[in-house]
Amino acid sequence: MDELSLQWTPVHGPMRKLVFEPQPDGEYAWARIEFELCESQWREVGFEYLEELSFVSDDGEGTSLPHARTYFEGGEGDV
């Protein structure tokens, strides 16, 4: 699966973007990276690993996105 992105322009402040990148070889399934537009270039302002990513429609139906990853047992999951 390719990365997914969501981009928007808030009422106040610079344009923003969320990018969800699959992590097929990592401990977690996805990475969420947050950007804001600063002088015509995207600047990273946040990063988080995700165990699962899903979308929910207006009718309440959820869809989990498929991913291939290795599950690690034991130890802390902090990065």
Side-chain angles (χ1 to χ4, degrees):
M1 165 142 312
D2 294 332
E3 73 178 34
L4 304 166
S5 64
L6 175 65
Q7 185 174 312
W8 69 96
T9 304
V11 174
H12 301 286
M15 183 180 265
R16 298 186 75 84
K17 174 170 66 170
L18 288 177
V19 176
F20 298 92
E21 290 184 351
Q23 305 290 297
D25 297 326
E27 180 176 355
Y28 298 99
W30 296 89
R32 181 202 52 82
I33 309 165
E34 185 175 354
F35 297 91
E36 69 178 15
L37 195 60
C38 182
E39 298 179 7
S40 301
Q41 293 191 3
W42 290 107
R43 179 174 69 99
E44 184 177 318
V45 295
F47 184 92
E48 177 180 26
Y49 285 111
L50 310 171
E51 290 189 11
E52 184 178 27
L53 182 62
S54 60
F55 293 93
V56 179
S57 65
D58 288 343
D59 63 5
E61 292 294 318
T63 301
S64 292
L65 296 178
H67 53 77
R69 68 180 177 121
T70 303
Y71 288 88
F72 294 94
E73 303 233 356
E76 292 296 319
D78 296 337
V79 174

